[in-house]
Amino acid sequence: MAYIQLEPINEGLLSKLSNFLLCRWTCQSCWQSCWECSCCLPSDEEVEILGPFPAQTPAWMVNDCNGEKDSNSEVLAYDPPATPQDSSPDRHCSGSEASRSTYSLARRVSSLEARRPSSPLVDIKPIEFWAMGSRKEAVQPAVLRKPYTASEDYSRKLEPRLYSVDSSGDDVDSLTDDEILLRYQLGMLHFSTQYDLIHNHLSVRVIEARDLPLPVSCDAARQDMAHSNPYVKMSLLPDHKNSRQTGVKRKTQNPVFEERFTFKLPFLEAQRRTLLLSVVDFDKFSRHCVIGKVAMPLSEVDLVKGGHWWKALVPSSQNEVELGELLLSLNYLPSAGRLNVDIIRAKQLLQTDMCQGSDPFVKVQLVTGLKLVKTKKTSCMRGTIDPFYNESFSFRVAQEELHEVSLVFSVYGHNMKSSNDFVGRIVIGQFSTGPPETSHWRRLLDSQRTPVEQWHSLRSRAECDRVSLASLEVT
């Protein structure tokens, strides 16, 4: 900036006039710099009206206090550049006095801010005043809050039993028989056990049951019948292979069975088993319903001495009644192109006749791809749920078609007055109904000309239709 040349009228006036031209911060009333005159100094009231957040000090007035303590050379003040024409001592003194005055004003403002009352603790974020774009979002001041800390006792308030799958059976073992009977009201079962060391078999005697609940319809609105038709089915856990069942007692809630059953197994093996007795309500026109069950570990009783037991029935988590088992033998002769099927026996079939057990027979159907080719059936065994058949059937199947073949085995109970009663079904072959059936078919393909024998558990019609296309092709 060029300096204006004036005649040397008064040296003091010239100095003030040059300061006025070089800096805008000059008092017009006293012709002195704002930081030197007394009339322009800010008072306490003027500082307080700036609001809770003091106005920002201009950049040229900011001074680093730490740097000032170390060296007086670092002062942030506007010092006009020296020129050849501006070399008088008064002008130099005026610039140094302006620097000291700037630092004095900064110290005074800092002291006033220190004496001001503390304002609320607020998280101040810069607010953008320009036009915000599509990706910008308005930032608002947020009051600092105390961070949330999870209570240590919160997890203790949870009750795991409310979230268990079967909360009703969690504390059954800790209840007495009277408490179980009062809680579930399913009745009592009387039975006895004893092990014969001479013949190595376990004897189970089912004596009677008392106070069984009345049968209730599916919608629980009315009773289907006046009384139940109960029978007892027993097995040794963990497997259900050695299952037995009593006869059906007609229309009674206090049945007397008086039947004895034996299980052939070693004594040490018997001590590792659990005796399961299920009381089932027979229903000819729908699925049999499990009333209740009793599970007794044989390791907790004296098997040799034996004993009689009254046990309260508890609800069963498995309402499906086992449909029975079927023993089959398969053999393929590639030279003759023949698939031989032997139906040997069945055991513990679902009872379809209340009076004389069942009259079961087995229907065998050959399905190639999705086409029914041939149907054959065994003879009917009268009045039994453990029939022996020992019957063989042969189907002509070419070796190149063997991988497309499915064998459907369906068990029915003969009924002279109406249609036959369906008991259970399995499918072996291309569209098998489960891993056991698939395993049997693979063994047949791997060992041709050799009979392959295996027990199979029967399945319901709905289950077979859901997993096997071959089941949908037969009646």
Side-chain angles (χ1 to χ4, degrees):
M1 176 182 295
Y3 291 94
I4 300 175
Q5 300 292 336
L6 299 175
E7 296 180 0
I9 301 175
N10 189 343
E11 188 174 356
L13 180 62
L14 180 61
S15 177
K16 291 183 179 181
L17 182 60
S18 62
N19 288 338
F20 172 75
L21 295 176
L22 292 174
C23 180
R24 296 178 301 171
W25 300 89
T26 305
C27 183
Q28 298 180 0
S29 61
C30 61
W31 288 91
Q32 292 184 1
S33 300
C34 292
W35 51 82
E36 292 181 354
C37 65
S38 59
C39 60
C40 295
L41 290 178
S43 61
D44 294 350
E45 291 78 6
E46 291 176 348
V47 174
E48 288 298 329
I49 64 174
L50 294 176
F53 313 110
Q56 188 174 5
T57 307
W60 62 274
M61 297 179 64
V62 176
N63 182 42
D64 189 357
C65 297
N66 295 331
E68 186 68 21
K69 293 179 181 180
D70 298 339
S71 175
N72 294 330
S73 61
E74 297 180 10
V75 178
L76 300 178
Y78 184 82
D79 193 6
T83 59
Q85 299 178 359
D86 189 17
S87 59
S88 63
D90 291 334
R91 185 177 303 279
H92 178 73
C93 293
S94 177
S96 61
E97 290 176 0
S99 301
R100 289 193 297 271
S101 300
T102 303
Y103 178 63
S104 176
L105 176 62
R107 291 178 55 189
R108 188 171 300 181
V109 171
S110 301
S111 62
L112 291 175
E113 290 179 354
R115 291 197 301 268
R116 290 176 58 248
S118 60
S119 59
L121 183 58
V122 179
D123 184 13
I124 303 301
K125 297 182 180 179
I127 302 178
E128 300 176 353
F129 292 97
W130 55 81
M132 293 181 294
S134 59
R135 295 187 178 180
K136 294 215 178 257
E137 50 184 44
V139 181
Q140 298 295 336
V143 180
L144 293 178
R145 295 178 181 149
K146 182 180 178 182
Y148 173 76
T149 56
S151 176
E152 298 179 356
D153 297 334
Y154 178 75
S155 58
R156 300 178 184 176
K157 297 179 181 180
L158 298 177
E159 299 184 17
R161 63 181 183 85
L162 299 179
Y163 304 94
S164 61
V165 178
D166 186 12
S167 59
S168 61
D170 289 342
D171 54 347
V172 171
D173 296 337
S174 61
L175 299 178
T176 63
D177 289 338
D178 294 337
E179 293 174 342
I180 293 176
L181 184 62
L182 182 63
R183 179 174 180 176
Y184 298 109
Q185 298 181 358
L186 296 178
M188 304 280 290
L189 182 64
H190 185 198
F191 63 97
S192 66
T193 59
Q194 188 173 14
Y195 189 83
D196 189 350
L197 291 174
I198 299 176
H199 300 91
N200 292 328
H201 67 256
L202 175 67
S203 176
V204 179
R205 178 188 171 199
V206 181
I207 304 173
E208 62 179 326
R210 288 184 184 175
D211 303 326
L212 299 180
L214 295 173
V216 181
S217 62
C218 296
D219 58 358
R222 61 180 182 83
Q223 296 179 0
D224 289 336
M225 297 176 291
H227 298 284
S228 300
N229 302 298
Y231 66 94
V232 179
K233 192 166 188 176
M234 69 198 72
S235 59
L236 295 177
L237 301 179
D239 54 63
H240 297 269
K241 296 299 181 181
N242 298 323
S243 57
R244 306 284 190 276
Q245 77 178 48
T246 66
V248 179
K249 303 302 176 180
R250 294 170 56 88
K251 297 182 179 180
T252 177
Q253 306 308 123
N254 300 282
V256 178
F257 299 102
E258 283 296 344
E259 298 186 32
R260 188 184 300 271
F261 304 90
T262 59
F263 298 89
K264 188 76 173 179
L265 73 168
F267 179 73
L268 295 179
E269 179 69 19
Q271 287 185 320
R272 292 193 290 265
R273 298 298 188 106
T274 298
L275 178 63
L276 176 65
L277 299 103
S278 302
V279 180
V280 187
D281 184 13
F282 177 89
D283 190 354
K284 179 177 177 61
F285 303 102
S286 64
R287 191 173 57 190
H288 297 189
C289 177
V290 179
I291 300 175
K293 67 177 183 179
V294 171
M296 187 180 71
L298 298 180
S299 59
E300 300 178 358
V301 299
D302 190 348
L303 293 178
V304 178
K305 182 179 179 181
H308 288 255
W309 318 95
W310 275 100
K311 293 290 184 180
L313 297 175
V314 298
S316 176
S317 59
Q318 183 180 6
N319 284 329
E320 294 255 354
V321 179
E322 294 181 4
L323 304 178
E325 296 180 83
L326 189 63
L327 179 60
L328 303 173
S329 177
L330 304 179
N331 181 22
Y332 181 72
L333 301 176
S335 57
R338 289 283 181 177
L339 178 60
N340 298 327
V341 178
D342 296 336
I343 301 176
I344 302 174
R345 59 169 296 191
K347 68 177 182 180
Q348 293 301 300
L349 298 177
L350 184 67
Q351 194 165 339
T352 59
D353 194 319
M354 190 185 306
C355 300
Q356 53 184 359
S358 299
D359 300 331
F361 67 92
V362 182
K363 184 188 290 186
V364 188
Q365 295 170 295
L366 177 68
V367 178
T368 302
L370 295 177
K371 181 180 179 181
L372 178 61
V373 178
K374 197 75 173 179
T375 300
K376 298 182 180 180
K377 65 179 182 178
T378 66
S379 57
C380 183
M381 299 297 170
R382 299 291 180 180
T384 179
I385 58 174
D386 299 298
F388 285 85
Y389 295 105
N390 289 325
E391 298 186 22
S392 299
F393 304 95
S394 181
F395 299 94
R396 185 179 295 276
V397 178
Q399 189 169 6
E400 57 272 12
E401 298 177 355
L402 187 61
H403 294 277
E404 302 178 0
V405 167
S406 298
L407 292 172
V408 182
F409 298 87
S410 303
V411 180
Y412 292 88
H414 180 70
N415 194 333
M416 298 181 61
K417 298 180 181 180
S418 61
S419 60
N420 296 326
D421 302 317
F422 179 84
V423 176
R425 173 179 292 174
I426 60 169
V427 181
I428 301 176
Q430 181 187 12
F431 302 107
S432 297
T433 50
E437 292 84 352
T438 302
S439 175
H440 196 179
W441 186 251
R442 288 178 179 174
R443 289 169 56 200
L444 168 69
L445 299 178
D446 295 339
S447 58
Q448 297 182 3
R449 301 183 182 88
T450 303
V452 180
E453 229 177 71
Q454 185 173 327
W455 280 99
H456 295 278
S457 297
L458 297 176
R459 305 171 185 267
S460 64
R461 190 198 301 269
E463 181 181 359
C464 293
D465 292 345
R466 184 172 62 252
V467 300
S468 176
L469 295 177
S471 178
L472 297 172
E473 300 299 321
V474 301
T475 56

